Amino acid sequence: MGLTGKISATLLLAVFLLSWAAPLLVPYDPDAIDLDSLRQPPSARHILGTDNKGRDILSRILYGGKISISISLLAAFVSMTIGFAIGLVSGYAGGRVDTALMALVDLILSFPAFLLAIGISIVLPTGIYTVLTAISSVGWASFARLIRGHVLSLKESAFVEAARALGCGNARIVIIHLLPQCVPLAFVMAGLKAGGYILTEAGLSFLGLGAQPPTATWGSMISASRVFINSAPWMVLFPGIMIALSAICFNLLGDAMKEKYDVTAREVS
Amino acid sequence: MLFILRRFVLLLPLLLGITFITFMLTRALPGDPVFNIVGERSSPEVIEKIRREIGADQGVLRQYGGYVALLSQGELGRSLFTNRNVADDIRVKFPNTLRLAVASMLIAAPLGVLLGFISARRKGRPADRMITLLSVSGISLPVFWSGLLLMLFFSLRLRLLPPSGTGGLPYLILPALTLSLPAIATLVRVTRVTVIDLLDTPFIRTARAKGVSEAAISLVHILKNALIPVITVIGLEFGSYLNGAVLTETIFGWDGIGRYAMEGIIKRDYPVIMGCLLIGTLVFVLMNLIVDIIYHYADPRVRLHGTDR
């Protein structure tokens, strides 16, 4: 993996670990209201400043990062797992099963993704798992289509024929022979998608459909502070930098993996 | 002609599927499904009529049938709060949204294609790396954040443009710019890959061997061929425009469907949200269809081999 890939992976890991270790690191309770230090610009006491309730922004960013990054990673994992299973079955079984499953995939993909995620979110009770459910129930479809396409081409190759000639059952062919071949492709896509999921999670939180106050997420921090954009721009600036940075790292990591595993751009995008 | 006809016929099951999903979502909402569809302040006769059509005591399929019948009359229900007709509201706000969408595409299309083209021609050089990094950033910036920063810089600090509102060109620039960033990034990526692939093809080598100038190769041979995937992406970006518009229109107080949806979300105004979801999806599906048709006519290869697309 190239240098950019390594840097991105390191940065992501750092953000991830820091956010999980936040309770040990930050001197302030992220939800503690301090009326003596409202909207203070970055200083030695509060490195990234405070918000309109006097809460330490660095603390909130780290605590919020735990939610934002975990949810995106989980969403990528859940989407990948569901999409993987459906794609394998659909591609290998072919026939009516394939037609039916791909009709469902096409149906989901015919919605603008973020709008559908909003539609699903408002049906569910608000909370962090709402966002996870909403993203995953839209996200699996692109994974399923990708894996299915790959299985379709693999199915015809000589090693599958050989396995069948040796008497391998369908289950064995799918699990032992086809599945491992699809793993790199799925991981590349998961890396690229996770960047998008960070943005979706942030967007849904911004709309108030994610974790509820006072719990901090990067999206909801921006949403709550946008009225102070002129008087206290740092309140908006720093959470956004974290969102953008994480999304950029995920995308660069995905690109790096794409090159490493020699996946052509068209297959994934 | 037959191709277009077939694509339109295929649209029907898709629309049924889409409405079935929105119907199931509406049913899953808390509260009375009839109120969630038409609003509780509709006149008693209307509510009675709709209750008969999608009565809660009927089977799911009968209810769905009633729902589709309502939709086909252009009925998206009434807002739970203002009691206004959602379809009417959307009709009023749609031109604003369309204006913003067109403006952002007018920024994104030339810039995206140009940058992608430069990036491909300078493959591996610093300019290419710069542009690639910029385009990765472009798809990674949350629009509500980049929008706020643009507003802070250009409106609140430099006081060049109005920070929010719906109106003429000055009001249009910042939201259109915000929305164009991810579109530019996507276009750069697609153009770059396409042009790099094209540079490897025999017909470009032949053109060079014939002594055609580089400028002519760029303009005539490459750009013309690169245009097809680029048009596809422009169409898809245009169609999925509402994805970003919900956030961007809200930030800039632009009176379009995106902000309308956002207000619905905040107030849990279900008919409004579902109406916007349906309209947004309809636009998306139609844009896909138009792209397919353009594709079909622009590229003879697709016409010969890909009629089943």
Side-chain angles (χ1 to χ4, degrees):
Chain A
M1 211 180 309
L3 187 63
T4 34
K6 280 181 190 146
I7 295 176
S8 314
T10 315
L11 272 176
L12 276 177
L13 196 66
V15 173
F16 188 71
L17 290 180
L18 282 176
S19 67
W20 276 85
L24 308 171
L25 299 172
V26 295
Y28 298 97
D29 176 346
D31 301 328
I33 294 170
D34 179 2
L35 296 176
D36 292 329
S37 50
L38 301 181
R39 282 189 272 152
Q40 295 204 337
S43 65
R45 269 188 65 201
H46 298 279
I47 300 172
L48 300 182
T50 62
D51 70 4
N52 56 316
K53 292 187 174 135
R55 296 173 293 195
D56 182 55
I57 290 182
L58 178 63
S59 311
R60 287 181 72 70
I61 281 186
L62 285 182
Y63 273 85
K66 186 172 147 184
I67 296 179
S68 300
I69 298 216
S70 308
I71 291 295
S72 318
L73 281 177
L74 266 176
F77 182 75
V78 173
S79 304
M80 184 176 81
T81 313
I82 299 175
F84 209 107
I86 300 221
L88 271 180
V89 170
S90 186
Y92 190 74
R96 278 192 192 158
V97 178
D98 185 36
T99 312
L101 287 174
M102 281 308 119
L104 185 60
V105 165
D106 284 342
L107 183 56
I108 301 236
L109 293 178
S110 65
F111 282 89
F114 188 60
L115 285 192
L116 184 56
I118 290 177
I120 295 171
S121 303
I122 59 154
V123 169
L124 304 167
T126 45
I128 47 173
Y129 294 104
T130 311
V131 176
L132 176 62
T133 316
I135 300 179
S136 314
S137 28
V138 181
W140 67 271
S142 16
F143 283 92
R145 177 178 274 180
L146 175 81
I147 298 297
R148 180 234 181 208
H150 199 54
V151 169
L152 275 186
S153 61
L154 283 177
K155 202 162 77 165
E156 306 301 329
S157 44
F159 77 91
V160 174
E161 223 171 289
R164 198 171 292 130
L166 286 172
C168 289
N170 284 335
R172 193 183 162 84
I173 292 179
V174 169
I175 294 169
I176 309 275
H177 295 279
L178 293 179
L179 189 145
Q181 301 273 334
C182 299
V183 168
L185 199 61
F187 269 95
V188 170
M189 195 183 209
L192 290 171
K193 286 284 172 183
Y197 295 162
I198 285 258
L199 296 185
T200 311
E201 190 275 336
L204 290 174
S205 298
F206 183 87
L207 293 173
L209 295 168
Q212 295 301 297
T215 310
T217 64
W218 294 339
S220 64
M221 286 174 76
I222 297 180
S223 171
S225 36
R226 74 184 171 101
V227 285
F228 304 105
I229 176 81
N230 201 20
S231 56
W234 57 88
M235 283 169 60
V236 170
L237 191 65
F238 296 121
I241 289 180
M242 294 310 290
I243 300 173
L245 187 73
S246 315
I248 289 175
C249 286
F250 271 124
N251 280 317
L252 287 176
L253 189 62
D255 281 341
M257 290 200 297
K258 198 156 77 179
E259 259 165 52
K260 189 182 172 197
Y261 294 110
D262 198 24
V263 181
T264 53
R266 292 238 174 64
E267 273 181 288
V268 185
S269 60
Chain B
M1 227 16 238
L2 196 67
F3 168 78
I4 298 182
L5 221 80
R6 182 153 43 160
R7 289 290 284 124
F8 267 100
V9 173
L10 281 177
L11 201 59
L12 270 175
L14 192 59
L15 288 178
L16 282 180
I18 288 168
T19 47
F20 189 70
I21 288 188
T22 54
F23 171 70
M24 290 313 277
L25 286 174
T26 312
R27 258 178 61 98
L29 288 168
D32 185 328
V34 172
F35 287 163
N36 285 338
I37 290 171
V38 291
E40 38 195 291
R41 286 163 60 191
S42 289
S43 64
E45 302 92 71
V46 173
I47 290 179
E48 199 41 54
K49 175 173 157 255
I50 284 155
R51 201 174 282 288
R52 246 182 290 122
E53 282 183 35
I54 49 164
D57 50 342
Q58 297 174 357
V60 174
L61 279 178
R62 287 285 300 277
Q63 285 186 27
Y64 172 64
Y67 175 76
V68 171
L70 276 178
L71 289 180
S72 60
Q73 294 161 24
E75 175 70 74
L76 292 177
R78 282 169 179 277
S79 158
L80 298 180
F81 294 90
T82 62
N83 200 27
R84 291 166 55 89
N85 200 315
V86 172
D88 287 345
D89 275 351
I90 288 182
R91 211 168 294 138
V92 171
K93 289 164 200 290
F94 191 76
N96 283 336
T97 291
L98 190 64
R99 210 144 56 94
L100 190 50
V102 170
S104 83
M105 269 306 141
L106 285 179
I107 301 175
L111 262 179
V113 173
L114 184 69
L115 288 175
F117 188 76
I118 295 174
S119 192
R121 296 300 312 241
R122 298 259 179 280
K123 190 186 166 197
R125 306 228 202 117
D128 175 35
R129 296 218 181 126
M130 257 319 262
I131 295 174
T132 305
L133 191 66
L134 280 179
S135 88
V136 171
S137 314
I139 51 168
S140 308
L141 295 182
V143 281
F144 53 92
W145 183 67
S146 43
L148 279 171
L149 292 190
L150 285 174
M151 182 200 283
L152 173 68
F153 192 69
F154 289 104
S155 312
L156 303 171
R157 292 290 147 89
L158 296 180
R159 297 185 181 279
L160 288 175
L161 295 162
S164 75
T166 317
L169 192 61
Y171 290 92
L172 198 58
I173 294 174
L174 286 182
L177 199 59
T178 306
L179 277 165
S180 71
L181 292 179
I184 293 174
T186 314
L187 274 170
V188 166
R189 283 169 89 95
V190 174
T191 312
R192 181 176 179 273
V193 173
T194 314
V195 172
I196 286 177
D197 282 357
L198 276 171
L199 284 171
D200 264 352
T201 51
F203 84 93
I204 298 291
R205 217 177 310 136
T206 311
R208 280 214 181 99
K210 279 195 311 189
V212 179
S213 73
E214 278 300 309
I217 287 180
S218 293
L219 278 175
V220 180
H221 294 81
I222 295 177
L223 266 190
K224 208 174 113 194
N225 279 288
L227 226 50
I228 295 163
V230 166
I231 288 175
T232 311
V233 173
I234 292 179
L236 295 183
E237 284 287 315
F238 199 81
S240 56
Y241 163 87
L242 261 190
N243 274 337
V246 175
L247 300 162
T248 313
E249 288 184 358
T250 303
I251 299 264
F252 290 101
W254 186 264
D255 191 20
I257 295 179
R259 198 180 76 158
Y260 186 54
M262 168 70 170
E263 282 166 358
I265 292 166
I266 289 175
K267 293 192 250 170
R268 301 286 138 143
D269 198 339
Y270 301 124
V272 170
I273 304 172
M274 286 303 166
C276 293
L277 176 60
L278 266 174
I279 295 298
T281 309
L282 190 66
V283 170
F284 188 49
V285 169
L286 286 178
M287 276 316 291
N288 272 314
L289 179 70
I290 292 171
V291 163
D292 262 10
I293 292 173
I294 294 178
Y295 214 89
H296 183 73
Y297 285 101
D299 191 344
R301 284 167 300 183
V302 179
R303 226 174 309 158
L304 283 177
H305 305 295
T307 36
D308 287 329
R309 252 181 61 87

